[in-house]
Amino acid sequence: LSARERTRLVQAKTTAATMLSRLLAAGLAPALDFGDQAAVAQRLEDLRGNRDIASAAVWTDVGAPPVAEWHASDVAPPVPPARAEPDGTSALRDYLTETATIRGPTHDDLGRLRFVLSLRAENEEFARTRLRLFWVVSALAAATALLLALLARRYVAGPLGRLAEAASALAQGDVTVTVDAKSQDEIGDLARAFNGMRDAVVFREEQLKKEID
């Protein structure tokens, strides 16, 4: 359940990353078309306000350094996409990497955009959900175990205990002892067998007494 919840959160973030990449590509296309690297850098710098974005970069040639890039202090610099790498989102445990091609008005390729989204919030929510589920399942397991123990005490341990006491009393010579044999389960069968044995003992004692007389 917790893994499914995390998958749902990651899918929602993947959809958001795809929409953001399209908007960024559309906004960066004019700046790249005119060779305005300052505008490209400013556009990427505006992304710093989003805490979920860990790094971003734009390349006009993936074999050359990026024309603009930035990354958070605890994140490695962006890695350029391979020339044949398709656009889209790739997911790791802690990050989503979104890659998009920036195209001009005539649909010619102007460059590649890549930014990385942190999954820290989703992982923290996943951990909280897993912990909540653990305690819920533990509570249900404890309640079920307690209920089973009470049922076993009432329907198994209790009748068996009374049957053992009756057997001890019969062994000490008390032939008046009987046990309740109303239930239709194995305990009831055992109780009926005990009562039959008691009747047999009483009958044998009566027969023995008559023979002695």
Side-chain angles (χ1 to χ4, degrees):
L1 288 173
S2 57
R4 186 170 61 182
E5 177 65 16
R6 182 182 184 275
T7 300
R8 186 188 66 81
L9 293 173
V10 172
Q11 287 175 346
K13 199 154 198 174
T14 300
T15 302
T18 301
M19 295 175 62
L20 179 59
S21 68
R22 292 174 181 174
L23 292 174
L24 283 174
L28 290 168
L32 286 180
D33 197 21
F34 286 101
D36 189 352
Q37 295 187 7
V40 174
Q42 183 58 49
R43 187 74 175 180
L44 292 188
E45 192 67 23
D46 293 340
L47 298 178
R48 285 184 181 270
N50 190 327
R51 295 181 178 180
D52 287 340
I53 300 179
S55 66
V58 173
W59 294 265
T60 53
D61 182 358
V62 293
V67 296
E69 65 96 10
W70 69 266
H71 60 89
S73 58
D74 57 343
V75 177
V79 178
R83 295 184 184 278
E85 184 176 344
D87 292 348
T89 308
S90 61
L92 296 176
R93 183 184 181 280
D94 297 321
Y95 297 100
L96 286 179
T97 300
E98 178 70 22
T99 304
T101 300
I102 304 171
R103 293 184 172 88
T106 58
H107 299 286
D108 53 328
D109 294 349
L110 300 176
R112 303 295 298 276
L113 163 69
R114 168 168 283 183
F115 60 88
V116 174
L117 291 172
S118 172
L119 293 176
R120 179 180 301 172
E122 286 72 16
N123 289 336
E124 290 175 353
E125 180 61 26
F126 167 63
R128 286 193 294 268
T129 300
R130 185 170 57 182
L131 185 61
R132 286 195 298 267
L133 286 174
F134 169 77
W135 287 116
V136 168
V137 171
S138 298
L140 289 175
T144 302
L146 179 60
L147 177 61
L148 290 176
L150 293 175
L151 291 175
R153 180 180 179 85
R154 179 173 181 179
Y155 295 105
V156 179
L160 286 178
R162 290 189 291 271
L163 189 59
E165 292 175 359
S168 298
L170 182 61
Q172 294 173 6
D174 184 3
V175 295
T176 63
V177 64
T178 58
V179 292
D180 185 10
K182 294 180 180 179
S183 63
Q184 301 301 316
D185 53 11
E186 290 80 359
I187 302 297
D189 294 339
L190 187 60
R192 284 185 285 273
F194 174 83
N195 289 335
M197 181 186 68
R198 184 201 68 86
D199 294 340
V201 169
V202 171
F203 176 77
R204 291 298 300 274
E205 285 190 352
E206 291 177 351
Q207 290 296 107
L208 181 60
K209 184 178 180 180
K210 288 180 181 180
E211 292 178 3
I212 292 174
D213 292 341

